[in-house]
Amino acid sequence: MDFIQPASWADALAIKADLPSAVPIAGGTDLMVELNFGTRRPEALLDLTRLTELADWEVSDGLVRLGAGLSYARVIAELGGLLPGLAMAARTVGSPQIRNRGTVGGNLGTASPAGDSHPPLLAGGAAIEAASVRGTRRISAAEFYTGVKANALAPDELISAIYLPLPSGPEQFSKIGTRNAMVIAVAAFSLALHPDRKEVTTGIGSAAPTPRRALAAEEFLTAALDEAGLWGSRAALPDAVCTEFARLVRAAAAPIDDVRGTAAYRLHSLAVLARRTLGWAWTEFQHDAEGTGG
Ligand SMILES: Cc1cc2nc3c(=O)[nH]c(=O)nc-3n(C[C@H](O)[C@H](O)[C@H](O)COP(=O)(O)OP(=O)(O)OC[C@H]3O[C@@H](n4cnc5c(N)ncnc54)[C@H](O)[C@@H]3O)c2cc1C
């Protein structure tokens, strides 16, 4: 197996164009497991870790641009205030060692239905920037996941960055697993309130062949909040609204039975996560008004 270390991003793209079978390696926390277990034996590895520009982030025009090589540890340390949903998810990933090495770009490369960054990327309205010698394009998170551990990248493309709009309201993430740490999600859910456009968006993890949004639940809640004037009043959420939202989130899932949990448990837990995250986010929204006098 060849180990190729490009010295620049342009070199990396040129190599990927010449040798599309070369497999990029970032933190290696997914890939090295596959190599060690012999489930994957690529012709060549394309090492992205020397490309320091991939590990940067910046804010411009209301968008946070995360380099694909940004580690979870840095998301937690540097972006907790700007991107709370993604930072919450990052805090639940693996162990300190995994969070130091593992990257958001690697999570997208693997595109596991159980990857923890996917629900907040979906709820946050992320776009994934794919680059090749042909140029760059942005793929919405909702269109990026194309199947179980499959994504929309072309063979000559690499993920260069992830774009997330700065949130205008509270975000939440919650995950259920078989224990509290070092655990792959049995089910996960993310929710974002957007008071600026009076909308709610969601992301479901580990409960369908791909991460996905709960669109009917989003539409229902967005309409219910609007009709009751709740964006303005910030009054308590009616229990019937929370219950129906949780039911619709559950209905959006299509889970399987596997070693980590049954489909029935995943459906039940998703409804619980949906209700809880909505309650937390709404309480934060109410407290935000107290803090600003709004
Ligand atoms: C002990 C352990 C615990 C874990 N716990 C969790 C957890 O709690 N939650 C969770 O979501 N994941 C978990 N993981 C999985 C893993 O850590 C994450 O998926 C992580 O985000 C992978 O990032 P990486 O940089 O290590 O990717 P790598 O292993 O380097 O790469 C992963 C895949 O992405 C591709 N790739 C990497 N960078 C790019 C790029 N720029 N462009 C295109 N393709 C690219 C690679 O070719 C490969 O196919 C765990 C793994 C281990 C070993």
Side-chain angles (χ1 to χ4, degrees):
M1 188 191 312
D2 288 330
F3 189 73
I4 308 171
Q5 284 193 314
S8 69
W9 180 241
D11 282 353
L13 295 181
I15 292 161
K16 191 67 174 141
D18 284 348
L19 189 63
S21 62
V23 172
I25 180 161
T29 59
D30 274 326
L31 199 51
M32 289 310 298
V33 175
E34 294 174 332
L35 297 185
N36 289 341
F37 280 108
T39 53
R40 211 163 166 189
R41 201 72 198 158
E43 192 184 338
L45 289 182
L46 182 60
D47 179 26
L48 303 179
T49 54
R50 297 207 167 174
L51 309 176
T52 48
E53 66 266 38
L54 265 195
D56 278 340
W57 63 269
E58 62 182 6
V59 184
S60 111
D61 294 333
L63 286 176
V64 188
R65 182 186 194 273
L66 313 174
L70 195 67
S71 68
Y72 295 110
R74 286 193 54 198
V75 170
I76 295 164
E78 298 168 33
L79 288 166
L82 285 183
L83 300 174
L86 185 63
M88 282 177 206
R91 285 184 204 111
T92 75
V93 171
S95 60
Q97 295 89 335
I98 297 296
R99 293 193 289 272
N100 280 336
R101 295 289 311 174
T103 64
V104 180
N107 213 223
L108 286 160
T110 299
S112 159
D116 285 320
S117 63
H118 311 314
L121 292 183
L122 284 166
I128 290 86
E129 185 179 75
S132 71
V133 291
R134 296 175 287 116
T136 60
R137 63 184 176 122
R138 288 190 200 176
I139 309 161
S140 73
E143 287 169 358
F144 185 79
Y145 313 105
T146 54
V148 179
K149 295 196 171 183
N151 63 41
L153 290 180
D156 64 343
E157 283 180 323
L158 295 171
I159 302 166
S160 40
I162 300 105
Y163 287 86
L164 270 162
L166 284 169
S168 71
E171 297 182 333
Q172 279 293 339
F173 169 85
S174 192
K175 129 182 178 186
I176 256 177
T178 47
R179 56 188 181 190
N180 276 342
M182 279 288 281
V183 70
I184 301 175
V186 172
F189 186 70
S190 214
L191 171 136
L193 301 182
H194 308 280
D196 57 339
R197 53 181 207 260
K198 298 191 168 125
E199 214 183 300
V200 181
T201 47
T202 62
I204 289 176
S206 219
T210 64
R212 57 166 69 162
R213 286 168 63 180
L215 290 172
E218 292 178 9
E219 280 163 25
F220 162 76
L221 185 57
T222 296
L225 294 176
D226 197 36
E227 278 158 25
L230 290 168
W231 290 111
S233 71
R234 304 193 192 211
L237 291 175
D239 197 52
V241 168
C242 301
T243 303
E244 180 61 3
F245 176 68
R247 189 189 72 75
L248 289 168
V249 168
R250 176 191 164 117
I256 54 165
D257 293 330
D258 69 8
V259 286
R260 297 199 306 278
T262 61
Y265 179 69
R266 287 190 155 98
L267 290 172
H268 173 75
S269 56
L270 252 191
V272 173
L273 296 179
R275 214 186 152 93
R276 277 186 196 161
T277 50
L278 175 58
W280 294 332
W282 195 257
T283 302
E284 196 183 325
F285 181 55
Q286 292 174 309
H287 289 167
D288 286 349
E290 285 165 19
T292 59

